[in-house]
Amino acid sequence: MKTIFRIIVPIILIAVFVVLNIIDKVNWKATDYLSFGMIVLTYFYVVFTWEMLQRIETQNYLEKRPYIIADFYKERQVLKIYVENIGKTPAKNVKVKLQPDIVTFQSKSLNQTLFENPIQFFPPGKKVETAINSMNTFFKEEENRNFQIKILYEDVATNKEFSEVIDIDLDHLAQENDIITKTTHDLVKSIDKLTKEIKRT
């Protein structure tokens, strides 16, 4: 409720009360004063209740709305970027733009490939990601480490539009050190290699 409506009604009531007292057209009794006071208090109670319900409704919507985020991360010394819906409802018409643009190890622009076309439907939990380059190569070739990701999308249920602007500094990734661990894939490759060596002998 707008502030002007919260204020104007009590002012009108008080003005009417004052005018009636000045012109002495009404013989006020103690119960009349009490009734007038109750009217004013009831009005403020109604306003308070209405605003409380509005806050609860807004809070419920914020908890259920789609929420699209994007970020960089590294996996086994490979720099990657992802876009994910961490909200509880689907989004639609998701548009992502990276400033400045990044050229991947395949010599392709992210804005002209992964982010070129809007994603028409983006359900909760969906994640779109791609590899950019090896950490060493990226930070050797890329002097600028500050990026801005702009995300525009709509709520499927209400068609309400949202805009997220995420500023990211990749310096912290450049300074992180990894402990290289072997995965199941590495183990399989080692066994295959050992098998081939055994067959040769």
Side-chain angles (χ1 to χ4, degrees):
M1 184 179 291
K2 293 183 178 180
T3 304
I4 187 170
F5 291 110
R6 291 202 303 265
I7 297 174
I8 195 169
V9 173
I11 290 177
I12 291 174
L13 290 174
I14 294 171
V16 170
F17 176 77
V18 171
V19 169
L20 289 175
N21 272 282
I22 291 175
I23 63 177
D24 201 26
K25 292 290 184 179
V26 180
N27 294 321
W28 292 91
K29 298 179 182 178
T31 54
D32 297 324
Y33 287 104
L34 181 62
S35 297
F36 179 79
M38 289 300 296
I39 291 172
V40 174
L41 289 175
T42 301
Y43 169 77
F44 282 112
Y45 176 77
V46 170
V47 170
F48 174 79
T49 303
W50 186 86
E51 290 184 344
M52 183 65 69
L53 290 174
Q54 287 295 108
R55 289 194 190 99
I56 293 173
E57 184 178 345
T58 300
Q59 186 64 34
N60 287 337
Y61 177 70
L62 291 176
E63 290 178 357
K64 295 176 180 178
R65 57 160 275 198
Y67 196 75
I68 309 295
I69 63 168
D71 199 2
F72 296 86
Y73 75 103
K74 68 175 179 177
E75 184 178 48
R76 297 175 61 81
Q77 293 301 315
V78 175
L79 180 65
K80 296 184 177 183
I81 187 170
Y82 72 88
V83 180
E84 183 178 8
N85 183 0
I86 62 172
K88 295 183 178 180
T89 54
K92 65 178 181 179
N93 199 26
V94 180
K95 302 173 184 175
V96 182
K97 187 172 183 180
L98 182 65
Q99 291 292 343
D101 195 4
I102 291 178
V103 176
T104 68
F105 69 97
Q106 297 175 322
S107 300
K108 295 180 178 180
S109 157
L110 284 178
N111 284 335
Q112 294 176 3
T113 53
L114 184 65
F115 302 144
E116 182 178 17
N117 299 314
I119 302 173
Q120 297 302 322
F121 185 73
F122 213 118
K126 179 174 180 175
K127 188 175 184 180
V128 175
E129 62 181 336
T130 190
I132 295 174
N133 212 330
S134 69
M135 294 288 292
N136 291 337
T137 303
F138 179 82
F139 287 111
K140 283 179 181 178
E141 296 178 352
E142 192 68 48
E143 295 182 0
N144 178 40
R145 297 180 181 180
N146 294 301
F147 296 89
Q148 186 178 82
I149 305 175
K150 295 181 180 179
I151 310 172
L152 301 174
Y153 57 99
E154 300 174 30
D155 186 347
V156 169
T158 64
N159 291 323
K160 186 174 181 180
E161 297 181 351
F162 296 97
S163 175
E164 314 289 350
V165 178
I166 305 170
D167 293 305
I168 299 174
D169 184 352
L170 295 183
D171 269 337
H172 70 285
L173 285 179
Q175 303 303 323
E176 289 181 6
N177 294 318
D178 285 338
I179 297 176
I180 304 300
T181 58
K182 297 293 184 180
T183 65
T184 305
H185 179 68
D186 295 322
L187 181 60
V188 171
K189 286 177 65 178
S190 298
I191 292 174
D192 288 342
K193 187 176 179 181
L194 181 60
T195 302
K196 289 178 182 178
E197 291 295 329
I198 293 173
K199 286 181 178 180
R200 288 177 185 176
T201 59

